[in-house]
Amino acid sequence: MKVIVLGAGVVGVTAAWYLAKEGHQVTVIDRQPAAAMETSFANAGQISPGFSSPWAEPGLPLKVLRWMAGPHAPIVVRPRLDLAMMRWLEQLLANCNAHDYDINKSRMLRIATYSRDCLDALRRDTGITYDDEQRGLIQLFRTQKQVDAAARDMKLLDLAGIAHEFLSPDDIARHEPGLMENRHLFQGGLHLPGDESGDCHMFTARLAQKAEEELGVTFHYETNIEALDASATDILGVRTSMGRMTADAYVVSMGSYSPLLLRPLGIKLPVYPTKGYSLTLPVTDPARAPVSTVNDATHKVSITRLGERIRIGGTAELTGYNLRLSRDRRELLELSFSELFGAGGDLSQGAYWTGLRPSTPDGTPVIGPAGRFANLWLNTGHGTLGWTMACGSGRVLADRMSNKRTEIPCLDLSIDRYATA
């Protein structure tokens, strides 16, 4: 088929790669001058199947209320007259129970674990490098309450067959020597040896180049996507700033902007932007810097080593499509890093960035056909885990569009799960 992929972030580019590997003629359209210039540009850098969890968890509403009373809340809701936000929050709250949490986390673990395996195979096949490391991740618990809450997640990790172990503070310091002086801050940690790290922007840019040079994928950058033309049952074309383009099939991978494109077609995609922030700074003392990735469970901040750089990422802010950089969010990132790694990196040289994560209320991405339009497909809504889930999502999508049997169950990843919501 001739396929048009809308969006050149990591999710769109990996989809284009796998579709082209299946022999399809693929065109990618994006408004930016190059691949991975928005949400994929400076994310946390972690590929974390074992850390895949929905925000909608039991007790979340009370946690958010407590956080709002403090200066360094990891999740912030900026109230606004926004019906899309209200509907999304309503659906999020409906998922904040133990039954739905277990279902949603199991779905996320399935696609994330598969995606890591797809990425491993892609790395072997192509030789692609992106400041990548395969050294695992440690989630740091500062309180006994966090340790107790992790026990439920460890049971789900057991069911999913994901390797993990609980670490004492001394064990943590052996894995991450830069934490030796501050190990007294922790009650313990969860080690996920199968998790990885790497620069998402570097990966996506290099994969896009390979897709173009080796598989014949065409990229139209600096091209605004304006609307989809449709009949009652099919998409007829996409209107862009460079003119109307047509194909046999269309894939929407526009992140947080996907629902805006689909709304005129009557498709209610439950994706809303959750704003995240990051700091990227140089390593100043390798002995004090992270070796791989750690997640601070208290501040909801991740700290990742990317070659000679450190990426500090985290926080979630519901404030619509606002891309202004917030000073208090930077303070939270700096606080977590200072408490854990101190002089390992130079915060004064940190490059501050923000991006909009396309989040669903249940945490699971939307991958599959888009309702009544036979030639319209969705691959979006990955939230904080676009980098983690991109390769697996692209492979599942390409298999389904090629009428091939998928290697993992995927029907419950489609938009149909919201039909009765």
Side-chain angles (χ1 to χ4, degrees):
M1 294 186 297
K2 182 179 179 181
V3 181
I4 291 179
V5 176
L6 305 174
V10 67
V11 172
V13 169
T14 50
W17 173 266
Y18 287 108
L19 285 164
K21 291 287 283 186
E22 289 296 325
H24 302 297
Q25 181 184 343
V26 183
T27 297
V28 181
I29 306 173
D30 195 278
R31 63 185 177 185
Q32 295 293 342
M37 295 301 292
E38 295 195 27
T39 303
S40 302
F41 183 72
N43 64 18
Q46 60 188 64
I47 301 153
S48 307
F51 197 63
S52 300
S53 293
W55 286 351
E57 62 179 6
L60 178 67
L62 290 177
K63 288 182 181 179
V64 172
L65 288 174
R66 287 199 303 270
W67 287 331
M68 288 176 68
H72 297 123
I75 298 178
V76 176
V77 179
R78 310 283 189 194
R80 52 192 286 121
L81 292 175
D82 185 339
L83 291 178
M85 178 196 281
M86 295 302 107
R87 284 194 297 267
W88 189 87
L89 284 171
E90 182 181 8
Q91 290 177 300
L92 178 81
L93 293 174
N95 278 275
C96 290
N97 61 80
H99 176 263
D100 288 327
Y101 177 83
D102 288 353
I103 292 174
N104 296 333
K105 185 174 177 70
S106 296
R107 286 174 178 160
M108 295 171 74
L109 289 172
R110 184 201 316 150
I111 185 67
T113 304
Y114 177 63
S115 188
R116 182 197 59 205
D117 295 343
C118 291
L119 174 59
D120 289 345
L122 190 153
R123 189 169 53 240
R124 290 193 302 271
D125 292 344
T126 64
I128 193 170
T129 59
Y130 42 94
D131 278 344
D132 54 299
E133 294 286 354
Q134 292 78 47
R135 297 193 183 192
L137 174 149
I138 300 175
Q139 188 178 15
L140 302 172
F141 305 126
R142 302 192 191 210
T143 68
Q144 186 59 44
K145 188 175 182 179
Q146 291 170 346
V147 172
D148 295 340
R152 181 186 189 90
D153 282 346
M154 285 189 271
K155 291 178 182 178
L156 293 174
L157 293 174
D158 282 331
L159 291 173
I162 294 176
H164 62 281
E165 61 176 331
F166 186 81
L167 301 180
S168 69
D170 287 339
D171 293 332
I172 292 171
R174 278 191 285 273
H175 283 277
E176 287 285 353
L179 293 173
M180 178 66 73
E181 295 179 9
N182 296 318
R183 66 188 185 281
H184 63 279
L185 295 175
F186 315 123
Q187 296 294 317
L190 178 61
H191 183 221
L192 299 158
D195 285 8
E196 305 178 7
S197 60
D199 188 317
C200 181
H201 174 258
M202 187 184 297
F203 169 87
T204 308
R206 290 179 177 179
L207 188 66
Q209 183 178 4
K210 285 180 176 291
E212 188 171 29
E213 295 175 353
E214 299 175 14
L215 301 179
V217 175
T218 300
F219 287 84
H220 291 294
Y221 295 120
E222 298 184 288
T223 303
N224 292 328
I225 298 162
E226 297 171 351
L228 292 170
D229 293 330
S231 68
T233 58
D234 292 284
I235 301 300
L236 304 177
V238 55
R239 279 178 272 154
T240 79
S241 58
M242 298 297 289
R244 189 170 182 269
M245 302 183 191
T246 61
D248 301 310
Y250 303 81
V251 177
V252 177
S253 292
M254 293 171 59
S256 297
Y257 297 89
S258 298
L260 304 184
L261 180 72
L262 297 170
R263 191 177 298 158
L265 302 178
I267 298 173
K268 297 179 180 178
L269 180 65
V271 167
Y272 194 80
T274 52
K275 188 177 179 181
Y277 295 84
S278 76
L279 278 170
T280 306
L281 48 140
V283 173
T284 53
D285 183 352
R288 298 283 298 279
V291 171
S292 182
T293 297
V294 300
N295 281 89
D296 184 346
T298 298
H299 297 306
K300 309 296 184 187
V301 168
S302 66
I303 302 172
T304 302
R305 181 73 169 268
L306 297 174
E308 296 305 311
R309 300 167 295 150
I310 299 170
R311 175 73 50 77
I312 312 166
T315 87
E317 191 176 24
L318 268 71
T319 182
Y321 291 84
N322 174 1
L323 282 167
R324 288 193 299 270
L325 290 166
S326 170
R327 177 61 208 175
D328 67 329
R329 302 292 85 200
R330 178 168 185 153
E331 289 173 354
L332 177 60
L333 299 178
E334 292 180 345
L335 173 66
S336 179
F337 181 79
S338 297
E339 291 178 344
L340 299 180
F341 291 100
D346 187 352
L347 287 169
S348 69
Q349 296 186 49
Y352 192 30
W353 172 89
T354 188
L356 302 177
R357 311 178 186 111
S359 301
T360 61
D362 60 12
T364 310
V366 180
I367 309 168
R372 71 179 190 272
F373 300 102
N375 61 343
L376 181 61
W377 296 79
L378 307 177
N379 187 18
T380 188
H382 296 74
T384 60
L385 296 165
W387 185 201
T388 294
M389 296 180 174
C391 287
S393 299
R395 178 67 186 276
V396 162
L397 182 79
D399 285 347
R400 291 197 69 181
M401 291 181 68
S402 304
N403 294 315
K404 292 178 63 176
R405 183 185 181 92
T406 59
E407 295 180 331
I408 60 169
C410 62
L411 294 181
D412 58 350
L413 302 177
S414 74
I415 197 173
D416 293 341
R417 69 181 187 270
Y418 292 104
T420 58

